[in-house]
mmCIF file of all heavy atoms in Angstrom:
data_model
loop_
_atom_site.group_PDB
_atom_site.id
_atom_site.type_symbol
_atom_site.label_atom_id
_atom_site.label_comp_id
_atom_site.label_asym_id
_atom_site.label_seq_id
_atom_site.Cartn_x
_atom_site.Cartn_y
_atom_site.Cartn_z
ATOM 1 N N MET A 544 -18.979 5.847 14.350
ATOM 2 C CA MET A 544 -19.163 6.152 12.930
ATOM 3 C C MET A 544 -20.384 5.410 12.391
ATOM 4 O O MET A 544 -20.488 4.193 12.551
ATOM 5 C CB MET A 544 -17.944 5.686 12.144
ATOM 6 C CG MET A 544 -16.780 6.662 12.293
ATOM 7 S SD MET A 544 -16.734 7.775 10.910
ATOM 8 C CE MET A 544 -15.021 8.247 10.915
ATOM 9 N N PRO A 545 -21.285 6.092 11.759
ATOM 10 C CA PRO A 545 -22.432 5.407 11.131
ATOM 11 C C PRO A 545 -21.975 4.511 9.992
ATOM 12 O O PRO A 545 -21.017 4.848 9.302
ATOM 13 C CB PRO A 545 -23.306 6.553 10.612
ATOM 14 C CG PRO A 545 -22.487 7.772 10.687
ATOM 15 C CD PRO A 545 -21.347 7.520 11.622
ATOM 16 N N PRO A 546 -22.641 3.387 9.831
ATOM 17 C CA PRO A 546 -22.215 2.424 8.805
ATOM 18 C C PRO A 546 -22.425 2.944 7.391
ATOM 19 O O PRO A 546 -21.925 2.366 6.433
ATOM 20 C CB PRO A 546 -23.086 1.192 9.073
ATOM 21 C CG PRO A 546 -24.258 1.703 9.829
ATOM 22 C CD PRO A 546 -23.799 2.937 10.564
ATOM 23 N N GLY A 547 -23.170 4.047 7.249
ATOM 24 C CA GLY A 547 -23.433 4.562 5.914
ATOM 25 C C GLY A 547 -22.229 5.228 5.296
ATOM 26 O O GLY A 547 -22.147 5.374 4.087
ATOM 27 N N LEU A 548 -21.275 5.630 6.134
ATOM 28 C CA LEU A 548 -20.094 6.286 5.598
ATOM 29 C C LEU A 548 -19.260 5.325 4.777
ATOM 30 O O LEU A 548 -19.187 4.146 5.072
ATOM 31 C CB LEU A 548 -19.240 6.839 6.744
ATOM 32 C CG LEU A 548 -19.794 8.113 7.374
ATOM 33 C CD1 LEU A 548 -18.842 8.614 8.435
ATOM 34 C CD2 LEU A 548 -19.977 9.195 6.314
ATOM 35 N N ARG A 549 -18.618 5.889 3.771
ATOM 36 C CA ARG A 549 -17.809 5.046 2.898
ATOM 37 C C ARG A 549 -16.634 4.464 3.680
ATOM 38 O O ARG A 549 -15.871 5.192 4.289
ATOM 39 C CB ARG A 549 -17.288 5.865 1.725
ATOM 40 C CG ARG A 549 -17.013 4.994 0.512
ATOM 41 C CD ARG A 549 -16.550 5.861 -0.628
ATOM 42 N NE ARG A 549 -15.155 6.232 -0.436
ATOM 43 C CZ ARG A 549 -14.339 6.536 -1.435
ATOM 44 N NH1 ARG A 549 -14.794 6.543 -2.646
ATOM 45 N NH2 ARG A 549 -13.098 6.884 -1.222
ATOM 46 N N ARG A 550 -16.529 3.175 3.627
ATOM 47 C CA ARG A 550 -15.429 2.530 4.326
ATOM 48 C C ARG A 550 -14.298 2.248 3.346
ATOM 49 O O ARG A 550 -14.525 1.695 2.272
ATOM 50 C CB ARG A 550 -15.907 1.221 4.945
ATOM 51 C CG ARG A 550 -14.876 0.636 5.895
ATOM 52 C CD ARG A 550 -15.420 -0.641 6.482
ATOM 53 N NE ARG A 550 -16.114 -1.431 5.463
ATOM 54 C CZ ARG A 550 -16.590 -2.642 5.687
ATOM 55 N NH1 ARG A 550 -16.501 -3.154 6.859
ATOM 56 N NH2 ARG A 550 -17.207 -3.309 4.742
ATOM 57 N N ARG A 551 -13.127 2.637 3.726
ATOM 58 C CA ARG A 551 -11.997 2.444 2.827
ATOM 59 C C ARG A 551 -11.487 1.003 2.943
ATOM 60 O O ARG A 551 -11.215 0.534 4.024
ATOM 61 C CB ARG A 551 -10.896 3.418 3.196
ATOM 62 C CG ARG A 551 -9.827 3.488 2.122
ATOM 63 C CD ARG A 551 -8.749 4.439 2.546
ATOM 64 N NE ARG A 551 -9.159 5.832 2.345
ATOM 65 C CZ ARG A 551 -8.293 6.830 2.354
ATOM 66 N NH1 ARG A 551 -7.039 6.597 2.548
ATOM 67 N NH2 ARG A 551 -8.702 8.059 2.189
ATOM 68 N N GLU A 552 -11.380 0.363 1.832
ATOM 69 C CA GLU A 552 -10.888 -1.009 1.855
ATOM 70 C C GLU A 552 -9.366 -1.031 1.804
ATOM 71 O O GLU A 552 -8.747 -0.089 1.357
ATOM 72 C CB GLU A 552 -11.456 -1.784 0.671
ATOM 73 C CG GLU A 552 -12.937 -2.019 0.827
ATOM 74 C CD GLU A 552 -13.481 -2.806 -0.364
ATOM 75 O OE1 GLU A 552 -12.673 -3.329 -1.142
ATOM 76 O OE2 GLU A 552 -14.708 -2.871 -0.497
ATOM 77 N N THR A 553 -8.821 -2.104 2.235
ATOM 78 C CA THR A 553 -7.364 -2.243 2.213
ATOM 79 C C THR A 553 -6.889 -2.406 0.780
ATOM 80 O O THR A 553 -7.357 -3.289 0.069
ATOM 81 C CB THR A 553 -6.940 -3.479 3.018
ATOM 82 O OG1 THR A 553 -7.471 -3.350 4.324
ATOM 83 C CG2 THR A 553 -5.444 -3.587 3.077
ATOM 84 N N PRO A 554 -5.972 -1.546 0.356
ATOM 85 C CA PRO A 554 -5.447 -1.685 -1.016
ATOM 86 C C PRO A 554 -4.768 -3.039 -1.190
ATOM 87 O O PRO A 554 -4.122 -3.524 -0.254
ATOM 88 C CB PRO A 554 -4.421 -0.547 -1.119
ATOM 89 C CG PRO A 554 -4.766 0.403 -0.025
ATOM 90 C CD PRO A 554 -5.388 -0.422 1.067
ATOM 91 N N PRO A 555 -4.894 -3.639 -2.365
ATOM 92 C CA PRO A 555 -4.318 -4.977 -2.578
ATOM 93 C C PRO A 555 -2.807 -4.997 -2.411
ATOM 94 O O PRO A 555 -2.252 -5.996 -1.984
ATOM 95 C CB PRO A 555 -4.729 -5.326 -4.010
ATOM 96 C CG PRO A 555 -5.122 -4.034 -4.636
ATOM 97 C CD PRO A 555 -5.603 -3.140 -3.540
ATOM 98 N N GLU A 556 -2.154 -3.872 -2.725
ATOM 99 C CA GLU A 556 -0.690 -3.870 -2.643
ATOM 100 C C GLU A 556 -0.196 -3.906 -1.203
ATOM 101 O O GLU A 556 0.975 -4.121 -0.945
ATOM 102 C CB GLU A 556 -0.095 -2.657 -3.371
ATOM 103 C CG GLU A 556 -0.438 -1.322 -2.763
ATOM 104 C CD GLU A 556 -1.684 -0.731 -3.394
ATOM 105 O OE1 GLU A 556 -2.483 -1.473 -3.955
ATOM 106 O OE2 GLU A 556 -1.841 0.493 -3.315
ATOM 107 N N TRP A 557 -1.119 -3.753 -0.259
ATOM 108 C CA TRP A 557 -0.724 -3.827 1.149
ATOM 109 C C TRP A 557 -0.374 -5.255 1.559
ATOM 110 O O TRP A 557 0.085 -5.491 2.659
ATOM 111 C CB TRP A 557 -1.841 -3.309 2.044
ATOM 112 C CG TRP A 557 -1.932 -1.817 2.067
ATOM 113 C CD1 TRP A 557 -1.376 -0.947 1.174
ATOM 114 C CD2 TRP A 557 -2.612 -1.010 3.025
ATOM 115 N NE1 TRP A 557 -1.687 0.335 1.519
ATOM 116 C CE2 TRP A 557 -2.441 0.331 2.642
ATOM 117 C CE3 TRP A 557 -3.348 -1.299 4.158
ATOM 118 C CZ2 TRP A 557 -2.984 1.382 3.374
ATOM 119 C CZ3 TRP A 557 -3.896 -0.256 4.891
ATOM 120 C CH2 TRP A 557 -3.713 1.067 4.500
ATOM 121 N N SER A 558 -0.643 -6.204 0.670
ATOM 122 C CA SER A 558 -0.328 -7.590 1.011
ATOM 123 C C SER A 558 1.172 -7.842 0.932
ATOM 124 O O SER A 558 1.653 -8.880 1.370
ATOM 125 C CB SER A 558 -1.072 -8.541 0.084
ATOM 126 O OG SER A 558 -0.696 -8.299 -1.249
ATOM 127 N N ILE A 559 1.912 -6.885 0.374
ATOM 128 C CA ILE A 559 3.370 -7.031 0.314
ATOM 129 C C ILE A 559 4.007 -5.861 1.049
ATOM 130 O O ILE A 559 3.378 -4.811 1.206
ATOM 131 C CB ILE A 559 3.883 -7.062 -1.149
ATOM 132 C CG1 ILE A 559 3.578 -5.727 -1.834
ATOM 133 C CG2 ILE A 559 3.279 -8.241 -1.904
ATOM 134 C CD1 ILE A 559 4.329 -5.550 -3.147
ATOM 135 N N PRO A 560 5.254 -6.022 1.502
ATOM 136 C CA PRO A 560 5.942 -4.899 2.142
ATOM 137 C C PRO A 560 6.333 -3.860 1.111
ATOM 138 O O PRO A 560 6.511 -4.177 -0.061
ATOM 139 C CB PRO A 560 7.180 -5.545 2.778
ATOM 140 C CG PRO A 560 7.400 -6.804 2.003
ATOM 141 C CD PRO A 560 6.037 -7.253 1.524
ATOM 142 N N CYS A 561 6.451 -2.618 1.543
ATOM 143 C CA CYS A 561 6.821 -1.546 0.618
ATOM 144 C C CYS A 561 8.304 -1.624 0.290
ATOM 145 O O CYS A 561 9.128 -1.766 1.181
ATOM 146 C CB CYS A 561 6.480 -0.185 1.227
ATOM 147 S SG CYS A 561 6.815 1.164 0.081
ATOM 148 N N PRO A 562 8.644 -1.530 -1.006
ATOM 149 C CA PRO A 562 10.047 -1.610 -1.415
ATOM 150 C C PRO A 562 10.793 -0.289 -1.274
ATOM 151 O O PRO A 562 11.998 -0.248 -1.464
ATOM 152 C CB PRO A 562 9.951 -2.027 -2.888
ATOM 153 C CG PRO A 562 8.657 -1.459 -3.359
ATOM 154 C CD PRO A 562 7.736 -1.451 -2.168
ATOM 155 N N VAL A 563 10.077 0.780 -0.970
ATOM 156 C CA VAL A 563 10.732 2.080 -0.856
ATOM 157 C C VAL A 563 11.597 2.115 0.411
ATOM 158 O O VAL A 563 11.087 1.886 1.511
ATOM 159 C CB VAL A 563 9.691 3.209 -0.811
ATOM 160 C CG1 VAL A 563 10.381 4.567 -0.642
ATOM 161 C CG2 VAL A 563 8.861 3.205 -2.090
ATOM 162 N N PRO A 564 12.910 2.378 0.242
ATOM 163 C CA PRO A 564 13.837 2.317 1.393
ATOM 164 C C PRO A 564 13.459 3.257 2.532
ATOM 165 O O PRO A 564 13.676 2.925 3.691
ATOM 166 C CB PRO A 564 15.187 2.723 0.785
ATOM 167 C CG PRO A 564 15.063 2.462 -0.676
ATOM 168 C CD PRO A 564 13.610 2.688 -1.010
ATOM 169 N N THR A 565 12.890 4.406 2.200
ATOM 170 C CA THR A 565 12.558 5.368 3.245
ATOM 171 C C THR A 565 11.231 5.053 3.901
ATOM 172 O O THR A 565 10.805 5.737 4.818
ATOM 173 C CB THR A 565 12.506 6.785 2.668
ATOM 174 O OG1 THR A 565 11.598 6.791 1.566
ATOM 175 C CG2 THR A 565 13.873 7.222 2.201
ATOM 176 N N CYS A 566 10.568 4.004 3.432
ATOM 177 C CA CYS A 566 9.233 3.687 3.949
ATOM 178 C C CYS A 566 9.242 2.336 4.646
ATOM 179 O O CYS A 566 9.050 2.248 5.853
ATOM 180 C CB CYS A 566 8.244 3.697 2.783
ATOM 181 S SG CYS A 566 6.577 3.234 3.254
ATOM 182 N N ARG A 567 9.455 1.274 3.860
ATOM 183 C CA ARG A 567 9.530 -0.078 4.411
ATOM 184 C C ARG A 567 8.282 -0.443 5.205
ATOM 185 O O ARG A 567 8.382 -1.036 6.278
ATOM 186 C CB ARG A 567 10.749 -0.206 5.325
ATOM 187 C CG ARG A 567 12.063 -0.047 4.568
ATOM 188 C CD ARG A 567 12.478 -1.345 3.926
ATOM 189 N NE ARG A 567 13.767 -1.216 3.256
ATOM 190 C CZ ARG A 567 14.139 -1.982 2.249
ATOM 191 N NH1 ARG A 567 13.313 -2.880 1.766
ATOM 192 N NH2 ARG A 567 15.308 -1.846 1.707
ATOM 193 N N ALA A 568 7.134 -0.063 4.678
ATOM 194 C CA ALA A 568 5.892 -0.405 5.363
ATOM 195 C C ALA A 568 5.713 -1.920 5.374
ATOM 196 O O ALA A 568 6.014 -2.605 4.403
ATOM 197 C CB ALA A 568 4.720 0.263 4.666
ATOM 198 N N LYS A 569 5.239 -2.417 6.500
ATOM 199 C CA LYS A 569 5.015 -3.856 6.604
ATOM 200 C C LYS A 569 3.726 -4.226 5.883
ATOM 201 O O LYS A 569 2.849 -3.378 5.702
ATOM 202 C CB LYS A 569 4.897 -4.254 8.077
ATOM 203 C CG LYS A 569 6.196 -4.098 8.822
ATOM 204 C CD LYS A 569 5.960 -4.406 10.284
ATOM 205 C CE LYS A 569 7.201 -4.043 11.089
ATOM 206 N NZ LYS A 569 6.912 -4.031 12.530
ATOM 207 N N PRO A 570 3.604 -5.502 5.508
ATOM 208 C CA PRO A 570 2.358 -5.954 4.885
ATOM 209 C C PRO A 570 1.160 -5.636 5.776
ATOM 210 O O PRO A 570 1.201 -5.871 6.982
ATOM 211 C CB PRO A 570 2.553 -7.473 4.755
ATOM 212 C CG PRO A 570 4.037 -7.660 4.686
ATOM 213 C CD PRO A 570 4.612 -6.556 5.546
ATOM 214 N N GLY A 571 0.142 -5.072 5.164
ATOM 215 C CA GLY A 571 -1.055 -4.727 5.925
ATOM 216 C C GLY A 571 -0.988 -3.342 6.542
ATOM 217 O O GLY A 571 -1.932 -2.915 7.191
ATOM 218 N N SER A 572 0.135 -2.647 6.359
ATOM 219 C CA SER A 572 0.283 -1.314 6.932
ATOM 220 C C SER A 572 0.377 -0.275 5.825
ATOM 221 O O SER A 572 0.898 -0.563 4.750
ATOM 222 C CB SER A 572 1.553 -1.243 7.789
ATOM 223 O OG SER A 572 1.482 -2.142 8.854
ATOM 224 N N PRO A 573 -0.116 0.927 6.101
ATOM 225 C CA PRO A 573 -0.038 1.981 5.097
ATOM 226 C C PRO A 573 1.374 2.516 4.963
ATOM 227 O O PRO A 573 2.187 2.375 5.871
ATOM 228 C CB PRO A 573 -0.966 3.064 5.650
ATOM 229 C CG PRO A 573 -0.990 2.833 7.120
ATOM 230 C CD PRO A 573 -0.819 1.351 7.313
ATOM 231 N N CYS A 574 1.644 3.129 3.816
ATOM 232 C CA CYS A 574 2.954 3.725 3.579
ATOM 233 C C CYS A 574 3.076 5.045 4.338
ATOM 234 O O CYS A 574 2.083 5.703 4.631
ATOM 235 C CB CYS A 574 3.149 3.977 2.081
ATOM 236 S SG CYS A 574 3.651 2.513 1.161
ATOM 237 N N HIS A 575 4.312 5.397 4.633
ATOM 238 C CA HIS A 575 4.578 6.647 5.323
ATOM 239 C C HIS A 575 5.682 7.410 4.613
ATOM 240 O O HIS A 575 6.539 6.809 3.965
ATOM 241 C CB HIS A 575 4.995 6.395 6.771
ATOM 242 C CG HIS A 575 3.875 5.923 7.624
ATOM 243 N ND1 HIS A 575 3.485 4.608 7.663
ATOM 244 C CD2 HIS A 575 3.036 6.583 8.451
ATOM 245 C CE1 HIS A 575 2.472 4.481 8.500
ATOM 246 N NE2 HIS A 575 2.170 5.664 8.992
ATOM 247 N N THR A 576 5.661 8.704 4.774
ATOM 248 C CA THR A 576 6.741 9.534 4.263
ATOM 249 C C THR A 576 7.917 9.403 5.225
ATOM 250 O O THR A 576 7.757 8.897 6.337
ATOM 251 C CB THR A 576 6.301 11.005 4.181
ATOM 252 O OG1 THR A 576 6.111 11.474 5.512
ATOM 253 C CG2 THR A 576 5.012 11.149 3.406
ATOM 254 N N PRO A 577 9.114 9.855 4.795
ATOM 255 C CA PRO A 577 10.278 9.794 5.702
ATOM 256 C C PRO A 577 10.040 10.521 7.018
ATOM 257 O O PRO A 577 10.677 10.212 8.012
ATOM 258 C CB PRO A 577 11.381 10.474 4.886
ATOM 259 C CG PRO A 577 10.983 10.251 3.466
ATOM 260 C CD PRO A 577 9.467 10.294 3.463
ATOM 261 N N THR A 578 9.125 11.456 7.033
ATOM 262 C CA THR A 578 8.861 12.194 8.265
ATOM 263 C C THR A 578 7.820 11.502 9.124
ATOM 264 O O THR A 578 7.447 12.004 10.173
ATOM 265 C CB THR A 578 8.391 13.628 7.938
ATOM 266 O OG1 THR A 578 7.296 13.569 7.029
ATOM 267 C CG2 THR A 578 9.512 14.431 7.326
ATOM 268 N N GLY A 579 7.336 10.346 8.665
ATOM 269 C CA GLY A 579 6.421 9.580 9.498
ATOM 270 C C GLY A 579 4.956 9.872 9.232
ATOM 271 O O GLY A 579 4.091 9.347 9.919
ATOM 272 N N ARG A 580 4.681 10.684 8.254
ATOM 273 C CA ARG A 580 3.290 10.979 7.927
ATOM 274 C C ARG A 580 2.721 9.914 7.013
ATOM 275 O O ARG A 580 3.425 9.392 6.156
ATOM 276 C CB ARG A 580 3.193 12.329 7.217
ATOM 277 C CG ARG A 580 3.428 13.479 8.152
ATOM 278 C CD ARG A 580 3.057 14.761 7.437
ATOM 279 N NE ARG A 580 3.250 15.921 8.303
ATOM 280 C CZ ARG A 580 2.886 17.147 7.955
ATOM 281 N NH1 ARG A 580 2.328 17.350 6.779
ATOM 282 N NH2 ARG A 580 3.069 18.149 8.762
ATOM 283 N N ARG A 581 1.469 9.645 7.196
ATOM 284 C CA ARG A 581 0.828 8.673 6.337
ATOM 285 C C ARG A 581 0.639 9.266 4.946
ATOM 286 O O ARG A 581 0.238 10.415 4.802
ATOM 287 C CB ARG A 581 -0.519 8.283 6.924
ATOM 288 C CG ARG A 581 -1.218 7.233 6.070
ATOM 289 C CD ARG A 581 -2.453 6.750 6.768
ATOM 290 N NE ARG A 581 -3.237 5.930 5.866
ATOM 291 C CZ ARG A 581 -4.172 5.090 6.255
ATOM 292 N NH1 ARG A 581 -4.444 4.975 7.525
ATOM 293 N NH2 ARG A 581 -4.844 4.385 5.392
ATOM 294 N N LEU A 582 0.917 8.459 3.943
ATOM 295 C CA LEU A 582 0.782 8.927 2.572
ATOM 296 C C LEU A 582 -0.684 9.185 2.236
ATOM 297 O O LEU A 582 -1.548 8.372 2.571
ATOM 298 C CB LEU A 582 1.339 7.858 1.628
ATOM 299 C CG LEU A 582 2.437 8.321 0.679
ATOM 300 C CD1 LEU A 582 3.677 8.702 1.478
ATOM 301 C CD2 LEU A 582 2.773 7.235 -0.309
ATOM 302 N N ALA A 583 -0.946 10.287 1.566
ATOM 303 C CA ALA A 583 -2.325 10.602 1.194
ATOM 304 C C ALA A 583 -2.877 9.543 0.252
ATOM 305 O O ALA A 583 -4.061 9.232 0.260
ATOM 306 C CB ALA A 583 -2.383 11.973 0.533
ATOM 307 N N ALA A 584 -1.990 8.953 -0.548
ATOM 308 C CA ALA A 584 -2.416 7.938 -1.510
ATOM 309 C C ALA A 584 -2.411 6.544 -0.890
ATOM 310 O O ALA A 584 -2.649 5.571 -1.584
ATOM 311 C CB ALA A 584 -1.495 7.972 -2.731
ATOM 312 N N ASP A 585 -2.120 6.459 0.411
ATOM 313 C CA ASP A 585 -2.118 5.194 1.148
ATOM 314 C C ASP A 585 -0.890 4.335 0.878
ATOM 315 O O ASP A 585 -0.434 3.620 1.753
ATOM 316 C CB ASP A 585 -3.367 4.355 0.850
ATOM 317 C CG ASP A 585 -4.538 4.781 1.711
ATOM 318 O OD1 ASP A 585 -4.299 5.469 2.723
ATOM 319 O OD2 ASP A 585 -5.668 4.462 1.369
ATOM 320 N N SER A 586 -0.375 4.366 -0.331
ATOM 321 C CA SER A 586 0.798 3.544 -0.612
ATOM 322 C C SER A 586 1.630 4.171 -1.721
ATOM 323 O O SER A 586 1.103 4.902 -2.566
ATOM 324 C CB SER A 586 0.386 2.126 -1.000
ATOM 325 O OG SER A 586 -0.616 2.161 -1.975
ATOM 326 N N HIS A 587 2.914 3.874 -1.723
ATOM 327 C CA HIS A 587 3.800 4.389 -2.752
ATOM 328 C C HIS A 587 3.500 3.716 -4.099
ATOM 329 O O HIS A 587 3.181 2.527 -4.128
ATOM 330 C CB HIS A 587 5.260 4.111 -2.368
ATOM 331 C CG HIS A 587 5.773 5.016 -1.284
ATOM 332 N ND1 HIS A 587 6.079 4.567 -0.018
ATOM 333 C CD2 HIS A 587 6.004 6.344 -1.298
ATOM 334 C CE1 HIS A 587 6.497 5.598 0.703
ATOM 335 N NE2 HIS A 587 6.462 6.688 -0.041
ATOM 336 N N PRO A 588 3.658 4.465 -5.186
ATOM 337 C CA PRO A 588 3.461 3.866 -6.513
ATOM 338 C C PRO A 588 4.359 2.654 -6.726
ATOM 339 O O PRO A 588 3.965 1.684 -7.366
ATOM 340 C CB PRO A 588 3.842 4.997 -7.478
ATOM 341 C CG PRO A 588 3.642 6.250 -6.702
ATOM 342 C CD PRO A 588 3.947 5.905 -5.266
ATOM 343 N N SER A 589 5.563 2.700 -6.173
ATOM 344 C CA SER A 589 6.487 1.571 -6.337
ATOM 345 C C SER A 589 5.930 0.313 -5.685
ATOM 346 O O SER A 589 6.173 -0.798 -6.146
ATOM 347 C CB SER A 589 7.836 1.904 -5.698
ATOM 348 O OG SER A 589 8.286 3.156 -6.122
ATOM 349 N N ARG A 590 5.193 0.508 -4.603
ATOM 350 C CA ARG A 590 4.623 -0.647 -3.911
ATOM 351 C C ARG A 590 3.543 -1.285 -4.766
ATOM 352 O O ARG A 590 3.480 -2.514 -4.894
ATOM 353 C CB ARG A 590 4.029 -0.198 -2.574
ATOM 354 C CG ARG A 590 3.654 -1.356 -1.673
ATOM 355 C CD ARG A 590 3.115 -0.824 -0.366
ATOM 356 N NE ARG A 590 2.909 -1.886 0.609
ATOM 357 C CZ ARG A 590 2.433 -1.669 1.829
ATOM 358 N NH1 ARG A 590 2.158 -0.437 2.214
ATOM 359 N NH2 ARG A 590 2.267 -2.669 2.664
ATOM 360 N N ALA A 591 2.718 -0.444 -5.372
ATOM 361 C CA ALA A 591 1.688 -0.971 -6.266
ATOM 362 C C ALA A 591 2.331 -1.657 -7.460
ATOM 363 O O ALA A 591 1.875 -2.704 -7.919
ATOM 364 C CB ALA A 591 0.773 0.168 -6.719
ATOM 365 N N ASP A 592 3.422 -1.059 -7.944
ATOM 366 C CA ASP A 592 4.132 -1.662 -9.075
ATOM 367 C C ASP A 592 4.672 -3.030 -8.689
ATOM 368 O O ASP A 592 4.527 -3.998 -9.422
ATOM 369 C CB ASP A 592 5.290 -0.754 -9.509
ATOM 370 C CG ASP A 592 4.815 0.382 -10.389
ATOM 371 O OD1 ASP A 592 3.640 0.362 -10.802
ATOM 372 O OD2 ASP A 592 5.605 1.292 -10.661
ATOM 373 N N ALA A 593 5.313 -3.100 -7.533
ATOM 374 C CA ALA A 593 5.904 -4.358 -7.089
ATOM 375 C C ALA A 593 4.822 -5.409 -6.925
ATOM 376 O O ALA A 593 5.016 -6.579 -7.249
ATOM 377 C CB ALA A 593 6.639 -4.140 -5.765
ATOM 378 N N TRP A 594 3.680 -4.972 -6.424
ATOM 379 C CA TRP A 594 2.582 -5.922 -6.243
ATOM 380 C C TRP A 594 2.068 -6.413 -7.593
ATOM 381 O O TRP A 594 1.798 -7.594 -7.787
ATOM 382 C CB TRP A 594 1.456 -5.250 -5.455
ATOM 383 C CG TRP A 594 0.263 -6.112 -5.318
ATOM 384 C CD1 TRP A 594 0.093 -7.133 -4.429
ATOM 385 C CD2 TRP A 594 -0.932 -6.057 -6.094
ATOM 386 N NE1 TRP A 594 -1.138 -7.717 -4.622
ATOM 387 C CE2 TRP A 594 -1.783 -7.082 -5.631
ATOM 388 C CE3 TRP A 594 -1.364 -5.248 -7.161
ATOM 389 C CZ2 TRP A 594 -3.047 -7.296 -6.191
ATOM 390 C CZ3 TRP A 594 -2.609 -5.471 -7.698
ATOM 391 C CH2 TRP A 594 -3.435 -6.482 -7.217
ATOM 392 N N LEU A 595 1.975 -5.469 -8.537
ATOM 393 C CA LEU A 595 1.504 -5.839 -9.876
ATOM 394 C C LEU A 595 2.447 -6.843 -10.521
ATOM 395 O O LEU A 595 2.015 -7.830 -11.109
ATOM 396 C CB LEU A 595 1.435 -4.575 -10.748
ATOM 397 C CG LEU A 595 0.071 -3.905 -10.809
ATOM 398 C CD1 LEU A 595 0.157 -2.653 -11.677
ATOM 399 C CD2 LEU A 595 -0.970 -4.845 -11.367
ATOM 400 N N VAL A 596 3.748 -6.586 -10.391
ATOM 401 C CA VAL A 596 4.736 -7.491 -10.981
ATOM 402 C C VAL A 596 4.582 -8.887 -10.398
ATOM 403 O O VAL A 596 4.684 -9.887 -11.085
ATOM 404 C CB VAL A 596 6.159 -6.949 -10.730
ATOM 405 C CG1 VAL A 596 7.205 -8.003 -11.050
ATOM 406 C CG2 VAL A 596 6.395 -5.697 -11.561
ATOM 407 N N GLN A 597 4.319 -8.917 -9.091
ATOM 408 C CA GLN A 597 4.177 -10.217 -8.425
ATOM 409 C C GLN A 597 2.946 -10.971 -8.906
ATOM 410 O O GLN A 597 2.949 -12.191 -9.007
ATOM 411 C CB GLN A 597 4.045 -10.007 -6.919
ATOM 412 C CG GLN A 597 5.367 -9.977 -6.214
ATOM 413 C CD GLN A 597 5.204 -10.094 -4.714
ATOM 414 O OE1 GLN A 597 4.110 -10.311 -4.218
ATOM 415 N NE2 GLN A 597 6.276 -9.948 -3.981
ATOM 416 N N THR A 598 1.878 -10.226 -9.149
ATOM 417 C CA THR A 598 0.613 -10.890 -9.437
ATOM 418 C C THR A 598 0.360 -11.079 -10.926
ATOM 419 O O THR A 598 -0.532 -11.812 -11.307
ATOM 420 C CB THR A 598 -0.547 -10.078 -8.846
ATOM 421 O OG1 THR A 598 -0.442 -8.748 -9.292
ATOM 422 C CG2 THR A 598 -0.500 -10.106 -7.328
ATOM 423 N N THR A 599 1.132 -10.369 -11.753
ATOM 424 C CA THR A 599 0.910 -10.498 -13.193
ATOM 425 C C THR A 599 2.141 -11.070 -13.875
ATOM 426 O O THR A 599 2.474 -10.707 -14.984
ATOM 427 C CB THR A 599 0.562 -9.136 -13.816
ATOM 428 O OG1 THR A 599 1.634 -8.236 -13.564
ATOM 429 C CG2 THR A 599 -0.706 -8.579 -13.236
ATOM 430 N N ARG A 600 2.804 -11.957 -13.188
ATOM 431 C CA ARG A 600 3.981 -12.591 -13.755
ATOM 432 C C ARG A 600 3.573 -13.348 -15.025
ATOM 433 O O ARG A 600 2.621 -14.140 -14.996
ATOM 434 C CB ARG A 600 4.548 -13.570 -12.728
ATOM 435 C CG ARG A 600 6.058 -13.529 -12.707
ATOM 436 C CD ARG A 600 6.550 -14.285 -11.506
ATOM 437 N NE ARG A 600 6.927 -13.363 -10.433
ATOM 438 C CZ ARG A 600 7.322 -13.769 -9.250
ATOM 439 N NH1 ARG A 600 7.362 -15.013 -8.955
ATOM 440 N NH2 ARG A 600 7.667 -12.888 -8.349
ATOM 441 N N PRO A 601 4.276 -13.117 -16.120
ATOM 442 C CA PRO A 601 3.924 -13.825 -17.369
ATOM 443 C C PRO A 601 4.153 -15.317 -17.241
ATOM 444 O O PRO A 601 5.137 -15.757 -16.655
ATOM 445 C CB PRO A 601 4.872 -13.213 -18.414
ATOM 446 C CG PRO A 601 5.980 -12.596 -17.624
ATOM 447 C CD PRO A 601 5.400 -12.206 -16.289
ATOM 448 N N ALA A 602 3.238 -16.057 -17.788
ATOM 449 C CA ALA A 602 3.401 -17.508 -17.747
ATOM 450 C C ALA A 602 4.582 -17.933 -18.592
ATOM 451 O O ALA A 602 4.732 -17.491 -19.725
ATOM 452 C CB ALA A 602 2.134 -18.182 -18.236
ATOM 453 N N ALA A 603 5.413 -18.756 -18.025
ATOM 454 C CA ALA A 603 6.644 -19.155 -18.715
ATOM 455 C C ALA A 603 6.363 -19.977 -19.960
ATOM 456 O O ALA A 603 5.638 -20.867 -19.963
ATOM 457 C CB ALA A 603 7.535 -19.951 -17.773
HETATM 458 ZN ZN1 ZN B 668 5.836 2.915 1.023
#
């Protein structure tokens, strides 16, 4: 692959495991559908949400 092609970066939410029961993607791994296909969006919305909650915890 030529270096000029757009390289996809790892989504930040990949730093946590996916909370979706049918997915359970490990940290650093893309999300999958129950049939084993990789998600077109790379990760479930719930995973991004869970990551956001973790990183934007309100200061007590
Ligand atoms: Zn997932």
